[in-house]
Amino acid sequence: MKRIAIYSRKSKETDKGESIKNQIQMCKDYFNKQYDECTFETFEDEGFSGGNTNRPEFQKMMLLAQHNKFDIVAVYKIDRIARNIIDFMNTFDILQRNEVSLVSITEGFDPNTPAGMMMMTMMAGFAEMERMNIAQRVKDNMLELAKLGRWSGGTPPTGYRSIEMCYDGKIAVYLEIVPELSEKIKMIFENIADGYTTFYVGKLFNMSNKTIYNIIQNPVYCKSDELSKLYLEKLGYTVYNYKDMFVSVSEHEGIVDSETWIKANEAMISRGNDARPRLSSKTFLAHLVKCKCGGGMHVDVSSHVKKDGSRLIYFCCSRKKHNKE
């Protein structure tokens, strides 16, 4: 009796071929014609790319294969296993060492022969090339959408949501302000423009300082005018035309005026260029001493007052504030 593992994968985003259900049924039909008796165990990864082997059902199948649970691993096509040569060859090597055959039912190659191995390697190479072509087409399409001022996908920036609009019978996706967040975004820009740090503003609005930093740097919040165009060109952007960095005017409403946006960015850039202070009224070693754990140490003063009225001054690891260990 042949013990057969059927592996099927389909990427929802790009694949237009056979469904997982059809892939499995075709594999079963193929082996039922080949052998009088066989058992099947199916492994299905839906919505996973073939760009790497980090797929839950695939990993489970390979683990069972290494424990001699199967005689054959069957796939509809080689690119279901992997879409790059390295992953394919690693997978084939593991199966071969555990005396498990790999069969592609539609391509009909026997990897146990030199000619079959060569053909399977070539097919894996073609699959890798196709994956790279698909990735490039997706990237090019997103760039074209952005050049037209459309939202090209992903999580919308804080304060916006994506909406669908119809132009000439075609659906286009743009950004729209979330009204209840508009004032919050304005206040973030105003606080940064007034000189407050991203850390302080983050605490004020219950956001991480990284989120505040990303908001300030994002041109999507800036209203389009000649001043913003000149400033963005100064930063290295090509305005309205695609190069490495570009911005494009869109249909959505900007939340902050160009002067506030520029002032906030200039304030953040200025603080980033300022050197950290090295002066202290207690010791010239402030900001220079490191703990053995690798963390910085800050100067602290003991609450205990000695008989002569003095207090003990000491260095304390800054990580103690966040990690009691």
Side-chain angles (χ1 to χ4, degrees):
M1 179 180 289
K2 289 291 182 181
R3 301 168 300 165
I4 302 168
I6 299 175
Y7 179 72
S8 57
R9 177 189 65 78
K10 184 175 174 65
S11 171
K12 292 180 181 178
E13 294 81 5
T14 59
D15 284 2
K16 297 180 180 179
E18 295 290 340
S19 68
I20 281 182
K21 184 178 178 181
N22 287 347
Q23 290 177 37
I24 293 171
Q25 189 57 51
M26 290 173 72
C27 287
K28 287 182 177 180
D29 292 343
Y30 177 88
F31 287 103
N32 282 327
K33 292 177 182 178
Q34 300 288 323
Y35 304 104
D36 293 331
E37 290 187 64
C38 47
T39 61
F40 300 103
E41 187 168 350
T42 59
F43 301 87
E44 306 172 15
D45 281 317
E46 185 162 5
F48 285 87
S49 166
N52 60 64
T53 57
N54 187 24
R55 295 166 249 142
E57 287 295 294
F58 179 80
Q59 293 294 336
K60 179 182 176 182
M61 180 189 71
M62 292 302 293
L63 184 63
L64 291 172
Q66 291 175 72
H67 285 81
N68 196 31
K69 298 295 183 182
F70 314 119
D71 300 308
I72 298 172
V73 167
V75 290
Y76 171 71
K77 290 176 67 177
I78 284 299
D79 65 3
R80 301 303 88 188
I81 290 287
R83 281 191 164 180
N84 68 73
I85 294 176
I86 293 176
D87 285 341
F88 169 73
M89 293 304 295
N90 288 339
T91 300
F92 177 74
D93 183 56
I94 292 170
L95 294 175
Q96 191 176 47
R97 279 190 277 112
N98 289 276
E99 299 181 346
V100 178
S101 299
L102 175 62
V103 176
S104 166
I105 65 161
T106 57
E107 291 155 338
F109 304 132
D110 182 359
N112 296 309
T113 66
M117 187 65 228
M118 181 186 73
M119 293 302 295
M120 276 202 166
T121 304
M122 288 176 61
M123 293 303 298
F126 291 139
E128 180 175 13
M129 182 175 69
E130 177 59 16
R131 180 180 66 86
M132 294 171 67
N133 288 338
I134 290 171
Q136 187 60 50
R137 287 197 296 270
V138 170
K139 182 180 178 182
D140 290 344
N141 185 50
M142 291 175 70
L143 290 172
E144 288 302 317
L145 291 175
K147 285 164 66 175
L148 295 172
R150 299 180 186 178
W151 180 240
S152 55
T155 304
T158 305
Y160 286 100
R161 59 188 166 216
S162 60
I163 59 167
E164 292 184 348
M165 301 172 68
C166 186
Y167 285 97
D168 297 327
K170 294 183 179 180
I171 298 297
V173 181
Y174 289 91
L175 293 177
E176 180 183 66
I177 292 176
V178 179
E180 57 268 26
L181 294 178
S182 178
E183 283 302 315
K184 186 177 183 178
I185 298 296
K186 286 181 183 177
M187 291 175 67
I188 288 173
F189 273 92
E190 288 169 359
N191 275 274
I192 294 294
D194 288 341
Y196 291 102
T197 65
T198 54
F199 181 81
Y200 173 83
V201 176
K203 289 287 185 183
L204 201 62
F205 293 96
N206 195 29
M207 295 179 176
S208 69
N209 60 326
K210 179 65 175 176
T211 299
I212 299 297
Y213 181 84
N214 290 337
I215 288 173
I216 297 300
Q217 278 204 318
N218 197 336
V220 75
Y221 299 100
C222 183
K223 294 182 178 179
S224 175
D225 58 19
E226 187 65 20
L227 182 62
S228 61
K229 176 180 181 293
L230 293 173
Y231 182 76
L232 287 165
E233 287 176 338
K234 177 184 169 185
L235 292 180
Y237 285 89
T238 297
V239 182
Y240 317 132
N241 296 299
Y242 168 64
K243 282 190 179 179
D244 290 336
M245 295 171 64
F246 78 98
V247 290
S248 178
V249 175
S250 183
E251 299 288 334
H252 74 267
E253 182 184 345
I255 292 179
V256 295
D257 61 83
S258 56
E259 288 188 13
T260 303
W261 191 87
I262 292 170
K263 188 177 178 182
N265 273 268
E266 286 291 312
M268 194 164 64
I269 292 170
S270 176
R271 280 196 302 276
N273 293 333
D274 289 342
R276 292 183 64 185
R278 297 286 178 182
L279 301 177
S280 170
S281 60
K282 301 179 181 69
T283 172
F284 70 94
L285 292 173
H287 304 290
L288 295 175
V289 180
K290 297 287 184 182
C291 175
K292 65 180 181 180
C293 75
M297 301 190 79
H298 64 273
V299 183
D300 214 337
V301 182
S302 172
S303 58
H304 176 70
V305 181
K306 296 182 179 180
K307 290 182 179 180
D308 62 1
S310 65
R311 295 174 185 264
L312 181 67
I313 299 175
Y314 61 94
F315 283 99
C316 181
C317 178
S318 298
R319 289 187 178 178
K320 283 189 69 174
K321 293 180 179 179
H322 310 290
N323 187 351
K324 299 302 180 184
E325 295 179 2

